Amino acid sequence: MTDKPRKTPLWRRPRFRYGSLSALLLIVLLALMVGFNLLFTHLEKENGWRVDYSFNGLTTQSQATLDVLETLPYPVHIYALFTQGNEDLPLMELLDRYAAASDLITWEQTDVALNPGLLTRFSDDTQTVANDSLIVHCPTTDRWKVLSPADFIGISLNYEQGVYEIAGYTYEQEITSALTFVTKESIPRVLFTQGHGELDEETAAPLTELLTANHYDVTFARLSSMELTPGDLLVFLAPVLDLSDAELKQVQAFVSAGGSLLMVCDYSDPFEDMPNYLSLMRSYGFEPVKGMVIAGQEEPDTYFNNNRQQIIPTMLMGEVTQDLITRGADVLLMTAPRAFLVPQDTDGGLIVTPILSSGNASYLYQPSGASLSLARQEDSPAGPFALALEARRITSAGELSRAMVVGSSPLMTSSQVHSMTDAHAFILRSMEFLLGLAPTDLNIVAKPAFRPQLSVESAVPGSLLLVFLPLTVLAAALIVLLPRRHR
């Protein structure tokens, strides 16, 4: 009986190894690999699974953004206006992460040349649509925000060289801020009075640009042309002429209905010639003191750059300042500020709280004649002095009216002060207090624009690795070759 021939395994047969079957299986295998790649790429994009290994974490979202997305009230659609092949790839990936983090966020890439209707649909007096921009649109509120490439670059002042430099990328900060803006039910109005020698729109540009960028509706006008509603904020920016009787009655009716006031003044404002405006201030417990505050020479931490007129105030605990103190945003600068008395006794419907103070060694100085000396005089009142106060008043109509007084206009309007200090945070928190808005902490740090330079410490591991790898290869070679040499 003869043994049956053994069958050759399939994978060793020539037909399998060299024939059409192997080609077909190879094609199927490649198709499966491509399919799996497309599937996992789609899942990675939809769910934001891709890990950000960039040195600055450009596409990594902060907890502040995740909190905003979790409470987003309405759907938002984002148009990324980029031509094919010229996309901002980190921005595209960041948009994927926004869409993955919230079902209410959708986005699409489109070209203005292929979709010219966007130019007329989303352009107005303040916003212009162009390629390389984003349009963040909420259909429910029909509000939108156009973000240009310049909006994504943070600028800071180099104090040593006196020039502005790129500080980092602000993709996340701008997009998250735009999301909160377009989904708001209403936009708060900030009304700046004119006609009393106040700072004008050009002088106050740094302040108004900050407010506009943070989604406040800003208007400069005379009181006689304003239609005031209780939800507005009325700002007096260093007036030097008095309110008329009719204007005073208009403002009193506004605050009686629950309107709020921000009063900014300087040491040179002639309150003795403004009885109506002064009575309005006193109704909130704000009593200005004549003269400018000078820092005591023995307290160098209370003034800036050896200039004792440049006061670095102490931030006191109040509704405006509590969050700022907690997160360390408490550095401000006030130029020759005016002081205010802190009322000891108030009626039951008024609460006044000092929120900025000068140092213990500060004193009041009365400029006189041609004298340039800032030396303390014998009769100069001694500090500390209140430099800003907040107030809450229950009006006769039973409404809550809020007010603030700040004794230095450069704190609010100087771009240099804004860039050097935490003035932005102070101003925005003041607006929230005065308008009765909940604090919004979008403290999203800009991502570094440049890779940090290697230090001596960071270069050591790399240097050791460069030496260790060749030595390892040499040792392995010796281990293999030396036994062979002695055979």
Side-chain angles (χ1 to χ4, degrees):
M1 186 175 182
T2 60
D3 295 333
K4 292 183 179 180
R6 298 179 62 185
K7 291 185 178 180
T8 305
L10 177 63
W11 58 87
R12 290 187 178 180
R13 296 179 186 177
R15 182 180 177 185
F16 177 83
R17 297 174 63 184
Y18 306 110
S20 58
L21 182 59
S22 61
L24 178 61
L25 292 175
L26 179 61
I27 292 172
V28 171
L29 179 61
L30 291 175
L32 288 174
M33 293 176 64
V34 170
F36 276 116
N37 182 59
L38 293 175
L39 174 62
F40 283 104
T41 299
H42 174 75
L43 292 175
E44 180 183 63
K45 179 178 179 179
E46 290 294 317
N47 297 282
W49 288 343
R50 181 174 297 178
V51 179
D52 184 0
Y53 289 111
S54 60
F55 77 95
N56 55 4
L58 194 59
T59 64
T60 300
Q61 294 169 316
S62 66
Q63 187 59 46
T65 289
L66 298 177
D67 292 341
V68 168
L69 295 177
E70 186 177 353
T71 58
L72 206 64
Y74 305 120
V76 176
H77 188 70
I78 302 175
Y79 298 91
L81 308 181
F82 291 89
T83 57
Q84 291 292 335
N86 292 315
E87 298 90 346
D88 185 337
L89 295 181
L91 178 57
M92 303 293 106
E93 184 172 338
L94 184 58
L95 292 177
D96 284 338
R97 291 183 184 273
Y98 274 91
S102 173
D103 294 336
L104 297 178
I105 301 293
T106 56
W107 75 277
E108 64 176 292
Q109 180 182 344
T110 186
D111 188 344
V112 171
L114 301 177
N115 196 353
L118 295 176
L119 292 173
T120 54
R121 174 68 180 85
F122 296 110
S123 292
D124 56 25
D125 295 337
T126 60
Q127 302 183 93
T128 302
V129 174
N131 263 337
D132 301 332
S133 301
L134 293 185
I135 303 173
V136 183
H137 176 229
C138 176
T140 304
T141 63
D142 198 25
R143 195 177 300 122
W144 68 88
K145 180 72 173 179
V146 178
L147 300 176
S148 69
D151 294 322
F152 298 132
I153 299 176
I155 303 295
S156 65
L157 177 64
N158 185 321
Y159 302 111
E160 295 180 356
Q161 301 181 8
V163 296
Y164 286 93
E165 299 177 336
I166 296 177
Y169 295 116
T170 58
Y171 290 108
E172 182 191 359
Q173 182 178 359
E174 293 297 330
I175 295 172
T176 301
S177 178
L179 291 175
T180 60
F181 166 67
V182 300
T183 56
K184 280 184 177 180
E185 292 286 352
S186 61
I187 303 301
R189 293 201 309 166
V190 181
L191 308 175
F192 289 82
T193 64
Q194 296 289 274
H196 311 94
E198 299 97 334
L199 300 184
D200 58 18
E201 190 169 357
E202 181 179 356
T203 306
L207 172 59
T208 57
E209 289 171 2
L210 171 66
L211 297 179
T212 302
N214 285 273
H215 319 310
Y216 291 91
D217 183 4
V218 176
T219 301
F220 283 74
R222 291 178 176 269
L223 274 168
S224 58
S225 64
M226 290 183 180
E227 294 183 5
L228 300 175
T229 60
D232 297 334
L233 171 62
L234 190 60
V235 181
F236 294 92
L237 202 54
V240 294
L241 300 175
D242 201 12
L243 300 173
S244 67
D245 292 342
E247 289 174 329
L248 178 59
K249 290 181 180 179
Q250 180 185 5
V251 176
Q252 288 174 335
F254 166 67
V255 299
S256 179
S260 297
L261 302 178
L262 172 59
M263 302 171 176
V264 181
C265 53
D266 294 310
Y267 80 91
S268 57
D269 294 344
F271 286 103
E272 61 275 8
D273 298 327
M274 298 190 290
N276 284 343
Y277 185 59
L278 187 57
S279 69
L280 182 63
M281 295 184 68
R282 286 172 173 167
S283 68
Y284 285 94
F286 303 152
E287 182 68 42
V289 180
K290 192 173 183 179
M292 73 170 74
V293 178
I294 303 296
Q297 191 168 7
E298 61 270 36
E299 292 181 327
D301 291 342
T302 65
Y303 55 93
F304 175 70
N305 200 24
N306 294 322
N307 185 346
R308 293 191 289 126
Q309 292 176 276
Q310 298 286 338
I311 305 294
I312 301 175
T314 299
M315 195 171 283
L316 307 177
M317 191 65 72
E319 191 169 343
V320 170
T321 53
Q322 181 177 356
D323 292 338
L324 304 178
I325 294 172
T326 300
R327 69 175 196 246
D330 57 353
V331 178
L332 300 175
L333 187 64
M334 305 180 77
T335 302
R338 179 184 282 272
F340 303 91
L341 297 179
V342 179
Q344 301 302 314
D345 297 310
T346 61
D347 59 68
L350 177 65
I351 300 175
V352 183
T353 305
I355 54 176
L356 297 179
S357 172
S358 63
N360 294 325
S362 61
Y363 57 91
L364 284 179
Y365 173 77
Q366 296 285 353
S368 60
S371 174
L372 299 178
S373 173
L374 297 178
R376 181 176 179 179
Q377 302 170 351
E378 292 183 1
D379 57 347
S380 297
F385 301 100
L387 305 180
L389 302 99
E390 65 181 37
R392 297 163 59 95
R393 170 170 284 287
I394 302 298
T395 68
S396 57
E399 301 291 340
L400 173 62
S401 175
R402 298 176 174 87
M404 266 186 65
V405 64
V406 178
S408 174
S409 63
L411 171 61
M412 312 297 284
T413 62
S414 169
S415 58
Q416 185 175 7
V417 172
H418 288 192
S419 65
M420 293 171 56
T421 70
D422 296 310
H424 279 185
F426 175 76
I427 293 170
L428 294 177
R429 184 64 197 101
S430 299
M431 295 295 146
E432 292 170 345
F433 163 73
L434 291 167
L435 289 164
L437 304 176
T440 55
D441 183 12
L442 289 183
N443 189 24
I444 301 173
V445 179
K447 303 299 174 67
F450 305 103
R451 187 183 297 273
Q453 295 182 351
L454 289 176
S455 62
V456 175
E457 292 79 5
S458 60
V460 169
S463 301
L464 292 176
L465 187 63
L466 289 175
V467 175
F468 178 74
L469 285 178
L471 291 178
T472 303
V473 174
L474 178 60
L478 291 175
I479 292 173
V480 173
L481 294 177
L482 286 178
R484 293 184 178 182
R485 183 180 178 185
H486 296 293
R487 286 181 179 178

